[in-house]
Amino acid sequence: MVNSTTECKVVIIREFDKERDVKVVEKLERNCEIGTKKGVSIFTNMMGDPLSRIRFYPIHVILVAELLESKEIVGVVRGCIKNVGTTTPPGSLLKMGCIIGLRVSPTYRRKGVALKLVTSLEEWMVRNGAEYSYLATEKNNEASKALFALKCNYVSLSSLVIFVHPTSTSTSLPTKHISERDIKIEKVNIDQAISLYKRILKTKELYPLDIDTILKEKLSLGTWVCYYKDEGCIKLQNMVDNNQTLIGSTSSWVIFSIWNTCESYKLQIKKSSHHHPLRFLHTTLKQGNNLGNLMEFIWRFTSRLGESMKDCRVVITELGLGDPLANYVPQTDSMSCIDDLWYTKRLSSIGHNNGKDEEMAMKRYVGNVFVDPREF
């Protein structure tokens, strides 16, 4: 919890009060939605629940910027803290703070409100033991990039792409000569999924250490593996003693998980109506030569699942520019692509870095990465 307020001439930063702030914050965020972005973009509608994007983290906070005299709320930001693993150096563990949902009233922009919100949130992160802070912003959000890169000294961590596809157009996805008789999609149980993810995520640049929490959350619809039948079946066996998963002989396969955000919040894709998203995340476990056909089947499968769900209108996933899967996302007129930038910095008030060097913070090219669905 925030123990103190940050005060300037006209604004104080304080912690969100659910009893008196919920309606005001909701109105503020609706006002921020208008005329703030160019091109294809995403805006998150919390559906009257400001905590919807952060309540899945054990450590989280919402800060608001309030005018001293009128008590009007003119800004809001969310923060959470999680433990992640990294391969720089191999086997390293980091406690990272995440900045989510920074919004400032159009009337009070360029007056230092956003900077005060971010600074106060970073102070909260330090008090709760975070070593790094990071965030994601759309490439076309020039104001956000200027704030974090120029004023707050964040560095570019990676570039990713958000792919958005309407479920109603799943029949327009390309169909090649490969048929459903040649490819199998098989659902795995939670224990198998956790074991499989834990084993492979250890080789990724950044990965959440609480993958079991993500997959056991009620919004998780399950985990599937997709592979070619003629390359040999995948045999998944949960080993109770050593918590490992055995994999069969197939050479080209993909694991993916589907996370239902329809009940938590909804997204507005600019130039279209409000849509409830069915988010899905995935990672390549073995990079074979025929990933394109597998990706088409995964998109078709997920779109059909979305069509069967009430109010679900789009399927969304995010992939690193260096991820081989990004080259095989089905390209159709209905597919939208949004460039996403990740920024990070080491929090300067940390006394030492426990042997972790700055190379992690300066990475600019992430390949096959597990994108945490809770941060969207």
Side-chain angles (χ1 to χ4, degrees):
M1 304 296 285
V2 175
N3 297 319
S4 62
T5 60
T6 300
E7 185 171 343
C8 68
K9 292 182 179 180
V10 295
V11 175
I12 64 168
I13 308 300
R14 63 169 175 83
E15 188 169 343
F16 171 82
D17 186 317
K18 185 177 181 180
E19 297 298 323
R20 59 174 168 153
D21 295 337
V22 60
K23 292 184 178 179
V24 180
V25 168
E26 182 182 12
K27 181 179 179 180
L28 167 68
E29 296 192 320
R30 285 200 306 268
N31 291 337
C32 292
E33 178 180 342
I34 301 173
T36 58
K37 298 180 180 179
K38 300 177 182 178
V40 180
S41 60
I42 292 177
F43 190 91
T44 307
N45 185 325
M46 315 295 179
M47 302 192 307
D49 181 11
L51 286 165
S52 62
R53 296 180 68 187
I54 58 175
R55 67 159 39 91
F56 303 110
Y57 295 92
I59 305 177
H60 60 260
V61 73
I62 301 179
L63 300 181
V64 296
E66 182 181 75
L67 298 183
L68 273 173
E69 295 185 1
S70 65
K71 304 301 181 183
E72 177 186 359
I73 292 179
V74 296
V76 63
V77 69
R78 296 161 179 81
C80 56
I81 294 177
K82 68 175 183 178
N83 294 318
V84 301
T86 175
T87 56
T88 309
S92 298
L93 305 179
L94 297 173
K95 196 169 186 178
M96 298 191 71
C98 181
I99 300 175
I100 301 175
L102 174 63
R103 302 283 186 265
V104 175
S105 171
T107 307
Y108 287 89
R109 289 174 186 165
R110 299 181 179 86
K111 298 181 184 296
V113 175
L115 180 59
K116 290 180 174 61
L117 282 167
V118 171
T119 300
S120 297
L121 185 56
E122 289 175 345
E123 292 171 356
W124 172 85
M125 291 176 180
V126 170
R127 289 197 298 272
N128 284 275
E131 301 170 76
Y132 283 83
S133 172
Y134 76 106
L135 65 121
T137 187
E138 291 180 20
K139 187 176 181 179
N140 60 13
N141 192 335
E142 298 298 333
S144 181
K145 291 192 296 183
L147 169 66
F148 289 104
L150 301 180
K151 296 182 180 180
C152 298
N153 300 316
Y154 280 72
V155 295
S156 176
L157 174 64
S158 180
S159 296
L160 295 94
V161 179
I162 300 173
F163 296 94
V164 183
H165 190 268
T167 56
S168 59
T169 58
S170 61
T171 55
S172 68
L173 291 171
T175 302
K176 297 183 179 180
H177 64 280
I178 296 292
S179 72
E180 293 186 11
R181 295 190 299 270
D182 303 305
I183 294 177
K184 183 175 180 61
I185 292 181
E186 179 180 354
K187 189 173 185 178
V188 299
N189 64 46
I190 292 180
D191 290 335
Q192 291 170 337
I194 292 172
S195 180
L196 198 53
Y197 271 125
K198 282 186 175 180
R199 194 180 85 169
I200 194 62
L201 289 178
K202 291 179 181 179
T203 66
K204 306 303 176 185
E205 282 98 346
L206 292 172
Y207 56 92
L209 294 179
D210 59 345
I211 186 65
D212 53 339
T213 299
I214 295 174
L215 298 181
K216 289 180 179 179
E217 165 58 39
K218 65 179 182 179
L219 296 182
S220 175
L221 299 181
T223 298
W224 291 260
V225 289
C226 182
Y227 58 94
Y228 291 97
K229 294 179 181 179
D230 62 0
E231 290 187 1
C233 65
I234 290 180
K235 296 180 180 179
L236 299 172
Q237 179 180 355
N238 189 41
M239 308 298 290
V240 178
D241 294 336
N242 57 14
N243 195 33
Q244 292 183 352
T245 301
L246 299 181
I247 304 170
S249 60
T250 184
S251 61
S252 301
W253 60 301
V254 176
I255 182 172
F256 65 101
S257 300
I258 300 177
W259 178 277
N260 174 19
T261 57
C262 298
E263 298 178 6
S264 182
Y265 54 79
K266 61 183 178 181
L267 301 182
Q268 178 182 353
I269 311 301
K270 192 171 182 181
K271 298 181 180 180
S272 67
S273 59
H274 284 282
H275 293 303
H276 292 275
L278 178 67
R279 186 100 196 283
F280 87 93
L281 50 125
H282 49 203
T283 181
T284 307
L285 294 186
K286 285 194 176 182
Q287 299 178 7
N289 298 321
N290 300 307
L291 291 176
N293 293 322
L294 298 183
M295 280 296 290
E296 289 180 14
F297 270 74
I298 289 172
W299 273 103
R300 192 178 298 277
F301 171 84
T302 309
S303 296
R304 288 174 178 172
L305 179 60
E307 286 183 274
S308 68
M309 296 175 59
K310 180 181 178 182
D311 296 327
C312 179
R313 298 291 182 268
V314 296
V315 174
I316 299 178
T317 193
E318 187 167 14
L319 299 171
L321 290 180
D323 192 329
L325 290 178
N327 298 321
Y328 298 106
V329 173
Q331 297 301 309
T332 67
D333 293 338
S334 55
M335 180 75 72
S336 299
C337 302
I338 302 171
D339 293 329
D340 209 20
L341 302 178
W342 284 6
Y343 288 92
T344 188
K345 80 171 182 181
R346 186 168 68 87
L347 298 173
S348 58
S349 53
I350 299 296
H352 57 278
N353 200 26
N354 296 324
K356 305 177 183 70
D357 56 40
E358 294 301 311
E359 182 182 352
M360 191 286 297
M362 296 303 293
K363 279 181 176 291
R364 300 182 185 275
Y365 191 72
V366 173
N368 183 226
V369 62
F370 186 99
V371 179
D372 196 326
R374 298 170 295 187
E375 296 166 9
F376 198 77

